[in-house]
Amino acid sequence: KPKRKKKKSQPVKKRLWEGWIEGNHSHLEGQIFIVISKKDKRAVTSLLKNFRKRKTDEEIFYNLCFCLMAPPTTYASNRTSVQELIDADFFHTDLTTEQVETIVTRTRFFRNKANYLAEMKLQFPTLLLDVRAERNVSKQRDMLVHRVKGMGMKAASHFLRNMGEENLAIIDSHI
């Protein structure tokens, strides 16, 4: 077999949304920049626009279900479980905890999560009013964490971000 010639690695210029990375950038110290392709920028921009759209109470409810079931479940499994909750009309129908368990079996810790969902559903109307009445996003997040069993800071931040809040950091320990 003929040996392949190794290609010399070429330095790559990465493009930021703001422009090319060149020169002295000491004035940017402490700033965070994301290197992203134009295609990904369009996708992220579209997603952020969707987050800002006004949502119905039912959409908010199912988004809260999604965020409550997320840790540590895959996106695909969680999305399928939420779709099955929608198909069962969980928002309008009184399902037993056992029925909810059957629907969310593909999520990790499904028995606990079924209990969390059932408890959250009971308090959802007043919880939603209280979260909407509170203008401070940190207090909204604290309210969710303290009142929704199974909801942590990260899931509460995801939920609020999905509802259009932009002044939250969602920190993952894997970064």
Side-chain angles (χ1 to χ4, degrees):
K1 291 181 180 180
K3 291 188 177 183
R4 292 182 179 175
K5 289 183 180 178
K6 287 186 177 180
K7 291 183 179 180
K8 291 183 180 178
S9 62
Q10 297 292 322
V12 177
K13 282 188 176 180
K14 295 188 177 183
R15 186 166 173 91
L16 294 177
W17 290 3
E18 293 77 19
W20 290 100
I21 303 173
E22 293 175 349
N24 180 2
H25 296 291
S26 60
H27 62 286
L28 300 176
E29 190 174 322
Q31 300 294 316
I32 297 174
F33 292 92
I34 299 171
V35 177
I36 189 168
S37 69
K38 286 182 180 180
K39 178 184 171 189
D40 289 341
K41 179 185 175 187
R42 285 190 298 271
V44 168
T45 302
S46 173
L47 193 59
L48 291 173
K49 283 181 185 174
N50 186 40
F51 289 153
R52 291 183 199 110
K53 288 181 183 172
R54 183 138 173 90
K55 292 162 184 64
T56 66
D57 290 359
E58 189 171 351
E59 289 170 321
I60 293 169
F61 174 80
Y62 287 119
N63 184 44
L64 188 55
C65 290
F66 182 88
C67 292
L68 194 53
M69 290 191 298
T73 302
T74 66
Y75 174 83
S77 295
N78 197 3
R79 187 72 223 143
T80 302
S81 293
V82 170
Q83 187 57 55
E84 289 181 11
L85 288 171
I86 292 168
D87 295 344
D89 198 18
F90 183 47
F91 182 71
H92 295 107
T93 308
D94 290 327
L95 300 177
T96 66
T97 304
E98 292 76 23
Q99 289 172 310
V100 175
E101 258 183 44
T102 304
I103 293 170
V104 300
T105 53
R106 64 182 40 80
T107 63
R108 294 209 43 211
F109 312 114
F110 66 93
R111 287 184 184 90
N112 289 343
K113 291 181 181 180
N115 285 320
Y116 300 158
L117 290 169
E119 288 181 34
M120 180 274 294
K121 183 181 177 186
L122 292 174
Q123 63 172 326
F124 180 75
T126 56
L127 178 69
L128 185 58
L129 287 173
D130 293 344
V131 169
R132 283 180 171 157
E134 179 57 61
R135 301 301 342 142
N136 182 306
V137 70
S138 294
K139 290 181 181 178
Q140 287 175 327
R141 182 177 52 197
D142 290 343
M143 186 184 306
L144 288 164
V145 169
H146 290 99
R147 290 178 52 185
V148 180
K149 189 173 182 180
M151 175 81 53
M153 294 288 277
K154 183 177 172 187
S157 296
H158 272 281
F159 171 75
L160 291 168
R161 187 271 324 267
N162 294 352
M163 295 299 97
E165 292 295 342
E166 296 178 345
N167 295 320
L168 289 167
I170 301 170
I171 307 294
D172 194 314
S173 60
H174 298 93
I175 57 171

